[in-house]
Amino acid sequence: MAQAYGDAQSINFVNPASYSRLQLVTFDVGVHGGSRRLTSKDASSSAGFGTLSYLQLGMPLSPKWGLNIGIRPLTRVNYNIAVPEERTFFDTLKVNTVNQFEGSGGIYQAYVGSGIGFGGFSVGVNVGYIFGNVTNTTRIVFPTAEPLDAITPSSDMKRTSYGSFFYTVGLQQIVKLGNEMTLQFGVTGSMEQKLSAKRERLQSTLNYDASSDEFYTRDTVKYTTGERGDLIYPQSLGGGLMISKSDKFAFGADYNTSKWSKFRNFGAVDSTQDSWRMSVGGQFVPNAQAFSGYWNRVTYRLGGYFGKDYIKLDGREMNTLGFSVGAGFPVRRIMPAMNQFTMINAAFEVGSRGNVEQLRETYYRLTLGFTLSDRWFIKAKYD
């Protein structure tokens, strides 16, 4: 329910229009980690992961005008896949080979955003810079230590560096349903954007080292650098609504879609398709003003999603499904710093995409976030 969400001390970078509701200077940082399992008909593998989720600083500039500065990872690449294959060389020589596919790197967003409100309506924009690099390597090797004089293993490495500006626009509308109840709407979107990229490529032959059971570079076949091109980042659109009662509960739903079929990387078409996701969720606080009973002031959260992934595998769609549970733990204010507020947020998420007939990915992720809010620029008063 990120499209319509916003409050005085939470930063919602999904919809920059929500910055207009900031009333406290807020530092927000999150990290996540977990495990991922890939399963097919014939094999399965597991791996762990962990990284920064976001780092941001939001502040009110005036009533109904807020600013946010932050950085977050956009994509993360980390895979190592081996596929056996029998190849025919010189028309008659059949050799068992292994195709090794490796990828590493990631892309990040550094951004600054602002939102301004007019009554119950607010508008905002995030602008920033996308940067990072991704390395993809394909190797053809022989699963044997016996040398083949006429045939040598080979490697083809491509490293692509990205650096370009981006933007996202957001709108929100709040409708009062009573003294404490509100109905909120939110919309975000961005048009198709062309991002600049630079690529280097190294094609080489390999030798096998029996002592380390690894392959190393034997000779460079071809090396090119400085190739420039574009990455076409697809148009995206999202919308949502939320109904809430102040300091008590909030429930909402989001729908997001992206035109990934238009994605291009140096003009090449990838195995992508238009994607969509439907998300629902809510949070509940038993008694936010309770003087006793800490668990009465904890925020309890529950959510889920389903949709169609942007990746298309062997021409078939990949469905996505997942749910999460979480809580926000308030930290007691310490005298005399009565203007300071701290919240520790924790969430556990389980999700999957794909199918067992081809390939299914199942992941388990734990996210921890720390929100520290304070009132700055308060003019001192003296008696």
Side-chain angles (χ1 to χ4, degrees), residues 8 31 59 75-76 80 101 112 128 145 153 158 197 208 257 279 291 304 306 315 338 343 352 368:
V31 295
M59 63 186 72
T75 64
R76 181 174 179 268
N80 189 340
F101 305 96
V112 57
K158 298 177 183 178
Y208 177 73
T257 181
S279 307
F291 289 99
F306 62 93
M338 290 298 294
M343 180 77 76
S352 69
L368 290 176

Side-chain angles (χ1 to χ4, degrees), residues 211-358:
S211 61
S212 63
D213 192 28
E214 293 182 353
F215 289 86
Y216 63 92
T217 300
R218 173 182 179 180
D219 192 17
T220 299
V221 176
K222 185 178 181 181
Y223 176 69
T224 57
T225 184
E227 178 187 2
R228 294 188 178 275
D230 297 317
L231 183 147
I232 305 300
Y233 200 75
Q235 169 188 327
S236 63
L237 181 66
L241 56 85
M242 183 177 72
I243 186 169
S244 63
K245 184 176 182 180
S246 179
D247 288 333
K248 194 64 179 179
F249 66 79
F251 300 99
D254 285 353
Y255 180 82
N256 296 277
T257 181
S258 297
K259 298 285 291 185
W260 279 101
S261 60
K262 302 295 184 180
F263 174 80
R264 299 292 184 272
N265 191 2
F266 280 75
V269 179
D270 210 337
S271 299
T272 56
Q273 62 183 350
D274 295 345
S275 65
W276 63 270
R277 173 181 286 194
M278 185 71 190
S279 307
V280 295
Q283 64 179 34
F284 172 74
V285 185
N287 186 352
Q289 307 301 324
F291 289 99
S292 62
Y294 174 79
W295 297 104
N296 287 327
R297 292 180 283 115
V298 172
T299 303
Y300 301 92
R301 304 184 177 107
L302 179 67
Y305 69 87
F306 62 93
K308 184 175 70 173
D309 195 62
Y310 72 96
I311 295 177
K312 185 166 53 178
L313 187 61
D314 293 334
R316 294 181 59 181
E317 297 181 354
M318 296 181 66
N319 295 323
T320 62
L321 180 68
F323 71 91
S324 64
V325 294
F329 302 97
V331 177
R332 180 178 299 175
R333 284 178 273 177
I334 302 175
M335 294 291 292
M338 290 298 294
N339 294 313
Q340 295 181 351
F341 304 84
T342 301
M343 180 77 76
I344 299 175
N345 296 293
F348 178 71
E349 182 179 354
V350 179
S352 69
R353 62 176 175 173
N355 55 78
V356 177
E357 288 74 20
Q358 290 178 293

Side-chain angles (χ1 to χ4, degrees), residues 91 164 173 230 297:
D91 296 329
S164 193
Q173 176 68 51
D230 297 317
R297 292 180 283 115

